[in-house]
Amino acid sequence: MVTGCGLLARDLDSSIALAVVTLLSSALKKTIFNTKKVMLRPLDHSLWVCEKPFRFLVTQIESRMTVIQLDDQRLFLHSPVKLDRALQAQLDEFGPVAFIVAPNRFHHLFVSDYRLAYPNAKLFIAPGLQKKRKDLKYDAILSDDAANEWSNEIDQLVFLGTPMLNEVVFFHIPSHTLILTDLAFNYHEISSPVLRIALRIYGAHNGFNSSRLIKLATRDRKKAQRDLARIADWDFKRVIVAHGEVLETKAKQTFIDAFSWIKK
């Protein structure tokens, strides 16, 4: 009888242990799933974004990478954020990373890490970045002509009115998405008091708009107006910015209104 009770207790212990392991396994799977969901956030078919913080003036600000899966399943990475194992694992699930894009003279901090992680990928950089980052081993300098590798799905132009930035603007045709980097910010509610002050100084705290720095650095208004006219011709319904919220409603009119200062 004692032996039977001992066996019963042992069986109960085994059952409890199995139940605990099952619950932990389920929780772990959910945690992994949620982590993945946070890492790459879907916006549209074959279009994701990933936000990560980095140092900005005296505080931290989120920066956004845009990921496009081309028709042949290869990935186009715009303005890469800091790479870690979790992000790399998720990128690898979506397809081979083929193109790494540094879209202006400021957003280039992490491209070398991606180049090491994906040695077969091609690195495309904004005009002028080759002088600032002489250590970069790049494959091509971006221009007004979209690369043959993505020209059927992504259009582009170099915003020449602001040479300090030399930002290359992209338009993802299938999702009707305009992709900006620093030409505009889109902040509404800012929880951090320090960030709120920093953005106010920078002039980028009041919704979708260009910062004070971009306005001061735009030297050639005629070139800027020409580039804006071409952007306005694109049929976009969404605007992705590197800093702030993705603009999902009244995108084109909001963009045109935000850049009306160039025509003054």
Side-chain angles (χ1 to χ4, degrees):
M1 186 70 178
V2 174
T3 303
C5 289
L7 289 172
L8 179 61
R10 187 176 65 185
D11 289 342
L12 285 172
D13 288 342
S14 299
S15 298
I16 293 171
L18 180 60
V20 170
V21 169
T22 302
L23 286 171
L24 287 174
S25 177
S26 176
L28 181 60
K29 287 179 181 178
K30 289 180 180 179
T31 301
I32 292 173
F33 175 78
N34 288 335
T35 299
K36 287 183 177 181
K37 187 176 181 181
V38 169
M39 295 301 295
L40 281 176
R41 184 163 58 88
L43 292 185
D44 210 312
H45 178 69
S46 301
L47 178 68
W48 300 266
V49 291
C50 176
E51 295 94 358
K52 284 195 174 186
F54 82 105
R55 176 64 57 180
F56 172 73
L57 298 179
V58 295
T59 185
Q60 283 196 328
I61 189 172
E62 273 195 344
S63 186
R64 175 175 294 110
M65 172 174 70
T66 301
V67 178
I68 296 173
Q69 186 183 57
L70 302 174
D71 284 343
D72 60 8
Q73 304 303 305
R74 292 186 296 174
L75 299 184
F76 170 102
L77 308 186
H78 172 276
S79 186
V81 294
K82 187 174 182 180
L83 184 65
D84 56 33
R85 290 182 180 179
L87 176 55
Q88 185 173 353
Q90 194 171 12
L91 287 169
D92 292 343
E93 287 183 7
F94 288 122
V97 173
F99 309 111
I100 304 163
V101 175
N104 65 29
R105 296 182 69 248
F106 292 171
H107 278 243
H108 56 82
L109 297 179
F110 305 110
V111 295
S112 295
D113 295 336
Y114 284 77
R115 196 70 192 265
L116 288 173
Y118 301 103
N120 294 324
K122 292 182 179 180
L123 175 60
F124 291 76
I125 65 172
L129 183 56
Q130 74 274 18
K131 297 178 181 178
K132 184 177 182 180
R133 289 286 308 273
K134 295 181 180 180
D135 60 305
L136 282 181
K137 295 181 179 180
Y138 59 91
D139 294 281
I141 297 175
L142 295 160
S143 69
D144 278 344
D145 298 319
N148 292 332
E149 292 91 337
W150 62 69
S151 59
N152 290 332
E153 301 173 64
I154 304 171
D155 202 353
Q156 68 190 58
L157 67 81
V158 182
F159 195 86
L160 294 174
T162 311
M164 178 190 74
L165 197 62
N166 269 359
E167 179 159 322
V168 184
V169 180
F170 293 89
F171 172 52
H172 184 224
I173 300 167
S175 67
H176 301 277
T177 301
L178 181 67
I179 306 171
L180 305 178
T181 311
D182 291 324
L183 281 177
F185 284 45
N186 188 28
Y187 282 98
H188 295 272
E189 296 181 4
I190 308 168
S191 58
S192 166
V194 178
L195 179 59
R196 192 181 307 121
I197 293 171
L199 288 174
R200 186 175 290 275
I201 294 171
Y202 199 62
H205 64 289
N206 190 23
F208 188 90
N209 207 345
S210 296
S211 68
R212 185 174 289 112
L213 176 63
I214 296 300
K215 292 176 181 178
L216 290 173
T218 300
R219 300 296 185 184
D220 194 324
R221 294 293 180 100
K222 288 184 177 180
K223 287 182 179 178
Q225 289 174 14
R226 179 202 63 193
D227 293 338
L228 284 175
R230 183 178 163 192
I231 293 172
D233 283 340
W234 287 336
D235 183 25
F236 62 91
K237 300 176 182 177
R238 171 192 293 117
V239 181
I240 295 176
V241 292
H243 311 292
E245 301 172 21
V246 175
L247 180 62
E248 293 279 7
T249 58
K250 299 180 180 179
K252 179 171 285 192
Q253 189 58 53
T254 301
F255 173 86
I256 292 171
D257 292 345
F259 283 89
S260 60
W261 56 270
I262 286 180
K263 298 179 180 179
K264 295 178 181 179

